[in-house]
Amino acid sequence: MTGSRIDALAARLSPVLDAAGLRRDPAIDAHRSADATGIAGAVPPLVIRPRTTAEVSAALAACHALGQPVVVQGGLTGLAGGARPAEGEVALSLDRMAAIEPPDADAASILVEAGATLEAVQRRAEAAGLRVGVDIGARGSCTIGGNIATNAGGIRVLRYGMFRAQVAGLEVVLADGTVLSALAGLAKDNAGYDLKQLFIGSEGTLGVVTRARLHLHPAPGSDALALCAVPDLATAIALLRDLRARLGPSLSAFEAIWGGLYDAVQALDGGTPPLPSGAALYLLVEVQAGDAAAELEAALAGALEAGLVGDAVLGRTAREIAALWHLREGFNRHAARFGPAAGFDVSVRLDAMEAFVAAAAGRVRAADPDAVPYLFGHLGDGNLHYIVRTRAEAAVADAVYRSIAEVGGSISAEHGIGFDKKPYLGLSRSPAEIAVMRRLKAALDPKAILNRGRVFDA
Ligand code: LAC
Ligand code: ZN
């Protein structure tokens, strides 16, 4: 049945797509069966690689007519299993739709196709003296379509917001092939519902992003970065409050690396650490401003005087700044060497952060006395990446999620739900909210062909 349906689909699509537009086993690359979690998925029996929105529309119309499930794939850098194929799903890859138009300087926006990498768009913007507001570690491989579908966050949410805030206009194709194109990017446009918002963060369950117009921001005069050591989480949060007051919108990132992870990354990287080990937390503080180094130095001098910083080092050259960011990416680089682990991406209000960290630590220890937690993340916006080296994954997940639910936090700050966090959605969304999600899914994708089984069961 499945085999003959794939044959029927291929027969319908081969007149529409060029030779590279349809790949069947064994031409399918192994990398299509997994996302960045590394958990193996199925190998899709067919990969569809359209070049235009019209081709995406034709492909989805055919899948819809045949009731053929589709997994939508961008750069495969997701961490929740959203793009990992399930058995029998064909893959729809946007990798051949990667065009980037020249930035529109007047509107400070840029029109891009879904398959363009974030880094390629950042480069185009920078060449025109502009910046993309979002930056994430996966920039070199993640794609704009995936960034939008997952509402990616990253290191500068504090200043520029999440991906949702970057989207000025959007083009999506619905499951039945209907094209919704709203790419003008008008600053003011209250003509009925703002439908694009539905698709941002929907993890490919409601439609396929094909093109977007993104807001760009004026390049700041300069960037400056410092690494600070603090004795505890309370001081880190006090420092954040203090720097916000001193720096206002110039504060563009406030990232945390807990001491245990700092030491582990240093041990793996070798060399001389920028600050000695032994502190409870290390913070990366970034300023974007006309004279960023001067602003940052003045702010840190004030914070030092107020007793909020133990030790600090300023990145002075581009090389030093890159080295500090490299440290921040340490966990991601070394993840495979940390052994079996359970990873969480949680959001907590700052005034509940200490209570959460203490409660989670106690429960994790009780669940597995040998567990080793590694914490880092976007402390400036309350988003922690909480990784636990453990073999007792289920018990540890229960420990962390119970602690998050207790303080009213979110079980997914920025990585989404996908397949992997679906069992826990009910801890952060009410039955009424999930029921509305199901009604939207049924309205837009009545046969549930798009990313079926991600986020919730239809
Ligand atoms: C980061 C990814 C894991 O912040 O979200 O490094
Ligand atoms: Zn992150």
Side-chain angles (χ1 to χ4, degrees), residues 144-194:
I144 297 298
N147 293 156
I148 292 172
T150 59
N151 189 25
I155 56 183
R156 298 206 177 86
V157 171
L158 193 61
R159 172 150 176 183
Y160 298 103
M162 294 186 69
F163 229 90
R164 182 182 304 281
Q166 320 308 318
V167 178
L170 194 64
E171 181 181 83
V172 296
V173 182
L174 302 185
D176 67 357
T178 302
V179 178
L180 300 182
S181 195
L183 291 167
L186 301 173
K188 304 183 88 170
D189 185 1
N190 280 344
Y193 299 166
D194 185 1

Side-chain angles (χ1 to χ4, degrees), residues 345-349 401 404-405 407-414 417 427-429:
D345 160 45
V346 296
S347 224
V348 192
R349 285 203 341 252
Y401 286 135
I404 267 296
V407 297
S410 174
I411 60 143
S412 178
E414 60 175 4
I417 298 295
L427 292 174
S428 288
R429 294 286 181 258

